């Protein structure tokens, strides 16, 4: 997402639930730095998805509630309602340049239910590999294959799980890139050994990847729900771009992200489901120290504080 000036608003976005607001560059009001929604009035829509149904996107209806949505944000909003957004012809050229002041003018369509060609990938240490494989076998049917890139010797794994041995060497981005390259499917969803996509996300994989292919998208992100000692933390939505075309590489040795040659407009947030992340408070504290040792600016103590706070809806 583009960088904007910060704003003091702290209420969560009515669409993506993020709290990061900026001064809008495309209209009057403030803009969510996560999904691009612009709030033009000091009101809070209970659930934006309740306004969405197949047919023309309801830009005028939303304007009355103090909400402005362009084509980028319309696609995100549609995904939360389980719908596919098809931009109008006049919007496509505008989308190449990022957010605009043109209200969404496309159409919403019922999404298909066919499964897609998506591989599931994980990077793990040798001693974690068998347990990690066992955790994901129950969701095997949603994927064309399961691949583990293992730092260390590869132990015997269950049938249906393929292993690739590669040393991590302190570079998570390079390890994730190697996992991308190992995929035989055009798309790969990557998760960690303490994460699990929820069923809503799993059942959407087919239609969101087909929509992405049709609209030239190569990277899709999801909210990560961090549960610390079993309780949802305030570090939410914590968006992770984990569903990528096979040819997309990751950059960064820590806090790695997909490298998008055509910039952020070739990726999109999808609100079809969450990736659940389970960790302990002790692990939340360890991460700060561990990541800080890997790179001076990677500690992110703010993340630790948010992880240790319980989720607040407002």
């Amino acid at each position: 997402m583009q960088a904007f000036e910060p704003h003091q608003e702290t209420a969560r976005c009515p669409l993506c639930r993020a709290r990061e607001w900026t001064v809008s560059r495309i209209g009057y009001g403030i803009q969510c730095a996560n999904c691009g929604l612009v709030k033009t009035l000091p009101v809070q829509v209970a659930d934006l998805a309740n306004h969405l149904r197949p047919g023309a996107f309801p830009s005028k209806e939303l304007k009355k509630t103090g909400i402005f949505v362009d084509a980028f944000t319309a696609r995100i909003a549609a995904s939360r309602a389980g719908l596919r957004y098809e931009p109008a012809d006049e919007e496509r050229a505008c989308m190449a340049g990022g957010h605009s002041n043109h209200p969404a003018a496309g159409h919403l369509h019922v999404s298909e239910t066919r499964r897609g060609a998506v591989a599931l990938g994980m990077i793990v240490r040798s001693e974690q590999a068998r347990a990690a494989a066992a955790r994901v076998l129950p969701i095997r049917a949603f994927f064309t294959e399961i691949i583990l890139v293992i730092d260390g010797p590869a132990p015997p794994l269950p049938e249906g799980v393929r292993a690739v041995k590669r040393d991590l060497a302190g570079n998570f981005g390079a390890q994730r890139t190697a996992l991308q390259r190992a995929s035989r499917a055009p798309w790969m969803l990557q998760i960690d050994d303490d994460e699990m996509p929820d069923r809503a996300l799993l059942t959407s994989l087919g239609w969101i990847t087909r929509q992405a292919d049709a609209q030239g998208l190569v990277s899709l992100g999801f909210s990560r729900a961090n549960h610390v000692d079993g309780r949802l933390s305030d570090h939410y939505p914590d968006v992770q771009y984990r569903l990528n075309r096979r040819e997309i590489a990751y950059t960064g040795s820590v806090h790695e992200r997909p490298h998008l040659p055509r910039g952020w407009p070739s990726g999109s947030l999808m609100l079809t489901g969450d990736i659940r992340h389970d960790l302990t408070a002790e692990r939340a504290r360890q991460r700060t120290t561990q990541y800080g040792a890997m790179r001076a600016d990677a500690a992110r103590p703010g993340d630790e504080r948010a992880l240790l706070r319980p989720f607040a809806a407002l």
Side-chain angles (χ1 to χ4, degrees):
M1 191 61 66
Q2 293 169 305
F4 298 105
E5 296 174 8
H7 191 274
Q8 64 183 4
E9 174 72 56
T10 58
R12 290 190 182 274
C13 172
L15 175 56
C16 72
R17 304 301 188 237
R19 278 207 186 102
E20 295 78 30
W21 294 93
T22 62
V23 177
S24 173
R25 293 286 194 272
I26 61 174
Y28 300 105
I30 56 175
Q31 184 171 20
C32 176
N34 191 48
C35 72
L37 176 141
V38 175
K39 197 158 66 165
T40 59
L41 296 174
V43 296
Q44 187 74 8
V45 178
D47 192 339
L48 182 60
N50 290 338
H51 292 261
L52 305 183
R53 57 195 64 84
F57 192 85
S59 288
K60 291 182 179 179
E61 179 182 343
L62 291 175
K63 184 178 180 180
K64 295 176 183 177
T65 71
I67 295 295
F68 172 85
V69 172
D70 71 355
F72 283 105
T73 305
R75 181 166 56 204
I76 297 170
S79 73
R80 185 169 171 194
L83 298 171
R84 175 173 55 85
Y85 181 73
E86 185 67 30
D89 290 342
E90 62 270 22
E91 289 180 305
R92 296 182 187 276
C94 294
M95 294 178 76
H99 286 293
S100 74
N101 59 4
H102 298 285
H107 279 72
L108 298 165
H109 301 273
V110 176
S111 57
E112 302 171 347
T113 57
R114 290 185 293 118
R115 292 182 180 173
V118 180
L120 178 68
M122 303 173 71
I123 57 174
V124 297
R125 295 193 299 268
S126 180
E127 62 270 23
Q128 301 168 321
R130 296 187 69 178
R135 284 186 71 244
V136 296
L137 276 179
I139 61 173
R140 171 70 177 84
F142 292 96
F143 301 95
T144 58
E145 60 177 344
I146 297 174
I147 309 168
L148 304 187
V149 168
I150 302 176
D151 178 24
L157 296 175
E159 184 179 354
V161 180
R162 182 159 59 92
V164 176
K165 181 184 179 300
R166 186 182 189 278
D167 292 339
L168 176 63
N171 191 323
F172 287 101
Q175 199 78 335
R176 288 198 186 279
T177 299
L179 186 50
Q180 291 286 112
R181 300 293 183 261
S183 176
R184 295 168 181 156
W187 287 86
M188 170 172 276
L189 175 69
Q190 292 202 25
I191 61 172
D192 293 338
D193 65 347
D194 54 2
E195 297 174 342
M196 183 65 70
D198 64 19
R199 185 169 181 83
L201 192 161
L202 290 169
T203 56
S204 73
L205 289 172
W207 74 263
I208 62 175
T209 52
R210 283 190 290 274
Q211 174 184 257
D213 286 335
Q215 297 182 7
L217 301 175
V218 296
S219 182
L220 302 176
F222 304 96
S223 300
R224 180 166 66 174
N226 295 288
H227 288 74
V228 179
D229 292 333
R231 181 178 63 183
L232 180 63
S233 82
D234 208 40
H235 192 27
Y236 184 87
D238 189 19
V239 173
Q240 303 291 314
Y241 279 79
R242 296 285 191 80
L243 181 59
N244 293 279
R245 290 280 308 183
R246 176 177 50 204
E247 62 270 19
I248 296 301
Y250 279 76
T251 183
S253 59
V254 63
H255 298 309
E256 62 283 359
R257 291 181 62 85
H259 172 65
L260 305 183
R262 293 187 291 112
W264 71 262
S266 59
S268 180
L269 173 62
M270 289 282 114
L271 300 179
T272 54
D274 286 352
I275 297 174
R276 177 172 174 136
H277 180 208
D278 284 284
L279 69 164
T280 64
E282 179 183 7
R283 174 58 184 151
R285 297 185 182 98
Q286 288 174 346
R287 282 161 38 111
T288 306
T289 302
Q290 176 188 355
Y291 295 156
M294 295 179 69
R295 200 180 70 204
D297 61 348
R300 294 188 180 178
D303 286 2
E304 178 186 320
R305 291 192 292 270
L307 284 167
L308 297 178
R309 288 194 309 266
F311 177 79
L314 299 177

